[in-house]
Amino acid sequence: MTDSTAVALADFSSTWRSEELKSERTQQAALRRAREGIPGLHRLLDEAVTALRASLAVVVENFPLDTTALVIAAAALGRVDPSYNGPNPDSLVHDVVDSAARPYRDPDPFHTDSPLLAHPHAHLGLLCVRPSPAGDGQTVLVSAADVAAEIADRSHLRALQDPCYPFAVPHEPGSGEPSVTTHPILTMSGGGATVRYCPVRVTAGVERAGQALDEEHVGALRAFERALEAQHLPTVFLLRAGELLLLDNRRLLHGRTDVGPEGVGRHLMRVKVHDREYEKAMARNS
C-alpha cells in the first residue's frame, strides 16, 4: 500500500465509529465509499483478494494501524464477524498481545480458528502493530493439501474425513456437563482439501469422549499430527509492523514459533470473516 493510500484510508476510517460497522450492510457501505474515494484502494483490494484465492494467503504492506481501517478492508472478503474472536463478544477486532501478564512463550501449534462453529470463518486478517524486537514469534503456515499429500496411507485420509472427531466445547459455570462437538479433520473434494483442527480442543475432546474414537480413527489422527511435524512443509516468516496477513482459514493451518522474554510487547490485531457463500446459506435457512 502506498503512503498516500494508507494516509487516506486512515483519514477515511476516522469518520466512522466502530459500533457503526457491526452489520454487513454498513461494512459494505463503508467499503464502497472507501473504494470510490481513496485512490489506489480499489485496485489494491482486488489484487489482494485475487492473490488470496490463488495462494491462500497474502501480505499487504504499509497498512495503517487502525482498527476501523482493518474492518473496512477485511470487508472486501465478506462479513467481519465478532464471534469466537476474543473474550469480548461484540468486538470486531481482537488484540493479541504478548505481555508480562499473559506471555505467549511456547510455540502456538498448527490450528485453524473457530473450529467449534458449524461453519468456521473463511478468512482471518492479522495486522502486525508491533513485532517482537528479538525477531521471534514468527508466523508459520501450512496448507491442508500439503498435509494430506504427506499422509501416505490412503485409509488414513479416508478416516480423517469421517465426522467423528470430538472437539471439546469450553465449559461455562452453570451450563451442566462439559460437552463435545464432532467434525471431520480433513475434507477432500474437487475444490481441494479443507481442514478443521485445534490440538487443544481435539485432545480435550478425546479425553471427554472416552472411547469415542476407535483404533482406525486414532491411527488417522496420529498420522495427521505426524504430517504436521514435517519440517519441509511450513512457510515461516516474521510479520513486521504495518503488514496485514490475510489467510484462508479453511485451507491453511497457522501457528507461531515461540516468543522469548524479549518478545514481550508483540502485538497483532485480528479479524475473522465469513464469506458471502456462508451469508447466502444463512439467508436461505432463516
Side-chain angles (χ1 to χ4, degrees), residues 75-156:
L77 299 171
R79 178 172 66 87
V80 182
D81 177 50
S83 60
Y84 285 88
N85 192 24
N88 185 344
D90 296 320
S91 178
L92 294 173
V93 179
H94 174 59
D95 290 293
V96 182
V97 182
D98 297 327
S99 67
R102 189 185 177 190
Y104 291 81
R105 297 288 188 235
D106 295 331
D108 192 8
F110 281 120
H111 63 281
T112 59
D113 274 27
S114 313
L116 300 180
L117 291 179
H119 300 279
H121 293 99
H123 301 104
L124 303 180
L126 295 169
L127 174 60
C128 182
V129 177
R130 183 173 52 250
S132 164
D136 49 16
Q138 294 180 305
T139 299
V140 289
L141 304 175
V142 64
S143 74
D146 285 345
V147 174
E150 190 72 14
I151 300 174
D153 190 332
R154 299 295 97 178
S155 67
H156 288 331

